[in-house]
Amino acid sequence: MIESNRITTYILHNKNHLSFWLRRLKTSHQIIAPVRDISGDIVLTGIRHMHEIALDGPALMPSPKEFLLPQMEQLFHYSDDGVEETFNKQPRIIFGIRSCDLSAIRILDIFYLENNKDAYYESRRTNTVMISIACNQPDPTCFCFGLSTGPFLRSGFDLQLTDLGNRFIVEAGTETGMALVREFLHIFTDPRPEDIEDLNEVRLASQSRFEKRVNLEQVHRGILAGEVSDTFWDSVAARCFECGGCVYNCPVCTCFNVIDQHFSPDSGKRIRIWDACMFKGFTRMAGDVVPAAKKIQRTKRWFHHKLVHWPTQFGTFGCVGCGRCAISCPGRIDMASVALRTKGTEHSEEKW
Amino acid sequence: MENGNNYLPFKTTLRSVKELRNDVKLFSIMVPGDFSYRPGQFVMVSVFGAGEIPISITSTPEICKDLEICVRTVGHVSAAVNSLRTGDTIWIRGPYGKPFSLKRETRDTLFVTGGIGIVPLRPLVNQMIDVHRQSEGKGTVTVIYGSRNPSEVLFMDEVASWMERGANIVMTVDTCDNEAWKGYTGLVTEHFGKAGVDYKNCTAYICGPHVMIQAAMRDLLLKGIPDNRIITTLEAHMKCGVGKCGHCYCGGKLICEEGPVFSLEEIEKYNIKPGVDSID
């Protein structure tokens, strides 16, 4: 993704033109967008008709990660003749994701593309364009604002749309994004000063609506200073069901297992599937040695990874404030609550 | 191996398979000329259908044209590897991991090893014997090598060659059922006094059963070797070897990328203890 030096802004005056635009883009890309499924949940899926798109719902569950790192993915087919890799190169547009999820994808890019590049992720990623939509109304579980991962981004997007009620502001941040607009320039107009004023107003309003103010920097420092005790982590671990929901729904979690599936005595496929470090068997070695057998080890490890090791190694937290852990945890453990309870030394010894 | 896909192994053949013990086999694997590695590193070994596991490299690159690995049957993939025969196909990825450093910074070099732990240290012993010969100053290479009993000693002829090249060898067994055994009995930690090593000026490399590593580290610290000169190689469950699957993540470190070679100082500082924690 080549980032432009500046953001180019357009207005899409007629909201009906959004369908037109996406319908035309669908001739060259698969369109993945939020859709209300039969149970009323909003999920991201490939769409056939524009009217299926639902932009009025809460945070998507699960995260868009599944389109870049599928829950199950074939690495290669093997047989006596050799190995045959399988890469997905289909051009796609993921439309309607939020800034937090786009920020998460940028974190996944660092992890999968920098050191020891992951060829499978790269293949999907380079063929995927993201059209994100800024959040005007954060959910009660959201805390992206304190992490600079939302409710809108200043850069790092292909195209970012903001709904101004009767029109959209469309910002292009990369050459890829620009190309999608340029092809249909006749439906876009240049912004007027009042458009930018309205944009700023909508942004400020959104920022003021956050119910949670979470400071992960403070938690990071607290952990490094030894202010967060094992007593605290014990009380967190005691509530953990080891269901893996937090891991599977987190847009930044990346761990996977690799398995060979035989079709016949001499052929089969090697696949990878999502795995969760919260599971007791995650670290099991042959000989039945289980290093992280105790729950507190796994609870602590997950939080430390996101709060300490990610910022130390990559300069960014392993959390984007999407709030999915809060929504999915049956034990009511989540990043925001942990952060709020570890704020300051007088709280760290306090049990849940 | 540059094909851009880190998860894709290359196909090769077993030049020879030798049984060292009823559950341990030594494999000599043909590798292309540009396959280069250093002691301390490992390869991911695949038997398609069974799976893929990380195995330490045991060959010395200067001595051996082939890639040698030594596999003990512990689980179902190692059992599948150990059922292979000379001429069979095997699939390899690597080498991975941070190797041992070859810089000699102390007068003496000590190896403390037990059972199958000698496997990753074996090529380093060869290299350090050469390093000692080629560098100035006195000082010895000492190997304290423990096994369960005389019939389970691995690489006996190699040990003899080390002795011929000037290394000080101390062999010990837990129990002795063989009258011809000329070595000692007892744990390796009971024989530190026989090493003839200046502990204040020594680097120690340790590998073996977890309990042995812990005991040896503790005793060597007490004897005066600083924690940054006590080196070991850790093992962990690994699925990728390239820092992506997350299984070897421990103490904030990825054993496959920032290890498997670690000093005691690093282990204590970052609390990297895969496998060792299980004993409590």
Side-chain angles (χ1 to χ4, degrees):
Chain A
M1 179 177 73
I2 307 160
E3 285 193 28
S4 307
N5 288 329
R6 55 189 181 85
I7 309 295
T8 315
T9 309
Y10 304 92
I11 300 292
L12 188 62
H13 258 287
N14 188 340
K15 274 187 156 180
N16 291 326
H17 284 159
L18 181 65
S19 300
F20 164 78
W21 184 36
L22 288 176
R23 212 179 309 124
R24 296 302 303 274
L25 292 175
K26 193 167 172 296
T27 59
S28 52
H29 299 74
Q30 183 197 20
I31 307 280
I32 296 162
V35 162
R36 196 161 246 113
D37 75 2
I38 196 164
S39 60
D41 289 333
I42 307 267
V43 295
L44 268 183
T45 188
I47 59 163
R48 283 203 301 209
H49 307 290
M50 302 305 134
H51 68 254
E52 295 167 29
I53 300 178
L55 294 180
D56 56 332
L60 308 162
M61 293 280 268
S63 71
K65 152 177 99 168
E66 65 177 287
F67 294 101
L68 297 172
L69 181 71
Q71 192 160 8
M72 176 153 74
E73 174 169 40
Q74 179 171 318
L75 298 179
F76 50 82
H77 177 269
Y78 58 80
S79 67
D80 277 349
D81 298 328
V83 287
E84 205 181 292
E85 301 151 280
T86 41
F87 292 112
N88 185 319
K89 293 190 165 85
Q90 181 184 36
R92 303 173 308 177
I93 293 175
I94 305 184
F95 175 82
I97 63 170
R98 301 181 154 205
S99 305
C100 54
D101 285 336
L102 183 59
S103 302
I105 290 170
R106 286 165 64 77
I107 295 175
L108 295 182
D109 288 349
I110 299 173
F111 182 76
Y112 281 112
L113 300 178
E114 288 187 5
N115 192 27
N116 285 335
K117 192 168 62 170
D118 186 308
Y120 299 92
Y121 180 90
E122 187 193 29
S123 173
R124 289 174 196 273
R125 184 67 180 92
T126 51
N127 290 298
T128 306
V129 184
M130 319 274 178
I131 303 180
S132 53
I133 299 197
C135 288
N136 294 348
Q137 178 67 58
D139 291 329
T141 43
C142 296
F143 56 101
C144 59
F145 183 30
L147 292 168
S148 305
T149 53
F152 61 90
L153 297 180
R154 295 250 176 236
S155 68
F157 47 81
D158 289 321
L159 286 165
Q160 175 172 260
L161 269 55
T162 310
D163 191 342
L164 294 183
N166 58 354
R167 64 208 191 284
F168 279 110
I169 290 233
V170 178
E171 297 170 275
T174 63
E175 282 305 312
T176 317
M178 283 285 287
L180 298 186
V181 168
R182 244 189 259 119
E183 217 186 314
F184 303 95
L185 213 43
H186 55 284
I187 61 172
F188 296 95
T189 54
D190 286 329
R192 302 154 303 170
E194 49 264 44
D195 293 320
I196 306 301
E197 272 171 38
D198 286 348
L199 174 66
N200 290 331
E201 210 178 285
V202 152
R203 284 178 167 175
L204 282 171
S206 180
Q207 286 173 344
S208 71
R209 290 194 181 106
F210 280 86
E211 286 180 29
K212 294 200 168 140
R213 309 261 162 184
V214 174
N215 186 343
L216 291 189
E217 188 56 53
Q218 213 165 350
V219 192
H220 168 86
R221 274 188 258 120
I223 293 176
L224 285 178
E227 287 163 7
V228 184
S229 68
D230 272 4
T231 316
F232 171 77
W233 291 119
D234 251 327
S235 67
V236 176
R239 304 172 71 91
C240 176
F241 281 63
E242 298 169 273
C243 69
C246 49
V247 176
Y248 284 165
N249 281 302
C250 176
V252 184
C253 273
T254 55
C255 294
F256 57 85
N257 197 5
V258 179
I259 296 174
D260 285 359
Q261 285 185 328
H262 249 6
F263 301 143
S264 68
D266 43 28
S267 78
K269 58 184 182 179
R270 178 164 287 175
I271 63 168
R272 68 173 169 189
I273 56 175
W274 289 357
D275 205 348
C277 62
M278 286 301 188
F279 295 147
K280 187 169 174 183
F282 186 76
T283 47
R284 181 186 297 119
M285 295 193 260
D288 226 21
V289 171
V290 185
K294 300 201 203 109
K295 243 201 289 183
I296 184 182
Q297 291 171 286
R298 292 172 263 143
T299 307
K300 218 167 134 174
R301 175 174 61 190
W302 195 73
F303 283 100
H304 277 212
H305 192 190
K306 292 175 178 299
L307 294 170
V308 177
H309 304 126
W310 255 98
T312 309
Q313 263 179 310
F314 299 106
T316 173
F317 285 105
C319 170
V320 294
C322 74
R324 286 188 177 88
C325 48
I327 298 168
S328 56
C329 181
R332 306 258 305 263
I333 304 166
D334 65 273
M335 182 61 81
S337 308
V338 165
L340 289 167
R341 280 173 166 78
T342 56
K343 218 163 49 165
T345 32
E346 63 269 26
H347 292 295
S348 65
E349 290 293 334
E350 189 189 295
K351 289 197 176 191
W352 205 262
Chain B
M1 292 277 105
E2 258 330 300
N3 75 337
N5 185 354
N6 286 308
Y7 304 113
L8 200 68
F10 66 87
K11 182 178 180 177
T12 184
T13 315
L14 294 175
R15 193 191 297 282
S16 71
V17 180
K18 188 170 154 200
E19 186 173 292
L20 301 186
R21 217 166 77 182
N22 69 341
D23 60 340
V24 178
K25 292 202 178 169
L26 175 67
F27 298 86
S28 226
I29 306 172
M30 299 194 247
V31 283
D34 60 351
F35 184 87
S36 83
Y37 59 89
R38 286 180 50 191
Q41 292 191 298
F42 64 94
V43 283
M44 294 296 285
V45 179
S46 285
V47 174
F48 285 144
E52 192 181 47
I53 46 176
I55 301 285
S56 306
I57 298 176
T58 191
S59 41
T60 314
E62 293 82 12
I63 299 175
C64 198
K65 208 169 48 117
D66 288 338
L67 170 72
E68 282 181 338
I69 58 171
C70 202
V71 180
R72 177 173 63 164
T73 303
V74 198
H76 94 272
V77 185
S78 50
V81 176
N82 279 350
S83 70
L84 297 175
R85 291 185 291 206
T86 301
D88 278 350
T89 293
I90 195 167
W91 293 80
I92 304 286
R93 280 196 299 125
Y96 299 126
K98 210 171 67 171
F100 291 113
S101 159
L102 279 182
K103 243 180 17 169
R104 181 187 172 194
E105 288 174 351
T106 52
R107 199 194 90 131
D108 292 327
T109 304
L110 172 66
F111 292 91
V112 181
T113 171
I116 198 144
I118 193 168
V119 165
L121 295 183
R122 173 186 169 228
L124 187 64
V125 175
N126 279 318
Q127 288 187 329
M128 286 314 287
I129 288 176
D130 278 343
V131 166
H132 268 250
R133 275 181 170 177
Q134 287 156 18
S135 54
E136 299 195 354
K138 298 194 169 102
T140 49
V141 172
T142 304
V143 182
I144 306 178
Y145 180 14
S147 307
R148 277 198 290 244
N149 58 61
S151 62
E152 293 202 11
V153 176
L154 307 170
F155 301 115
M156 201 58 198
D157 19 3
E158 191 128 2
V159 174
S161 83
W162 295 338
M163 200 151 54
E164 277 165 38
R165 286 158 69 203
N168 179 23
I169 309 288
V170 176
M171 305 276 291
T172 181
V173 291
D174 293 346
T175 54
C176 187
D177 50 4
N178 185 344
E179 281 175 1
W181 175 250
K182 295 200 185 64
Y184 299 101
T185 49
L187 303 170
V188 296
T189 43
E190 293 171 36
H191 301 290
F192 285 152
K194 299 179 182 65
V197 155
D198 178 4
Y199 288 103
K200 300 273 187 304
N201 199 347
C202 175
T203 304
Y205 297 92
I206 312 174
C207 191
H210 294 129
V211 216
M212 186 219 90
I213 297 180
Q214 278 177 301
M217 282 181 159
R218 185 195 56 223
D219 286 359
L220 289 173
L221 259 185
L222 288 173
K223 284 208 162 336
I225 304 187
D227 58 8
N228 65 324
R229 295 217 194 286
I230 299 176
I231 318 282
T232 187
T233 167
L234 298 178
E235 39 175 23
H237 186 48
M238 291 178 190
K239 282 301 200 183
C240 72
V242 290
K244 299 283 181 279
C245 75
H247 284 82
C248 71
Y249 175 71
C250 186
K253 298 279 170 194
L254 289 163
I255 308 291
C256 69
E257 282 202 319
E258 292 156 283
V261 174
F262 286 106
S263 68
L264 177 58
E265 181 190 28
E266 287 168 306
I267 289 172
E268 291 295 315
K269 181 173 172 189
Y270 300 108
N271 200 26
I272 313 165
K273 291 183 176 125
V276 180
D277 269 343
S278 64
I279 310 160
D280 56 18

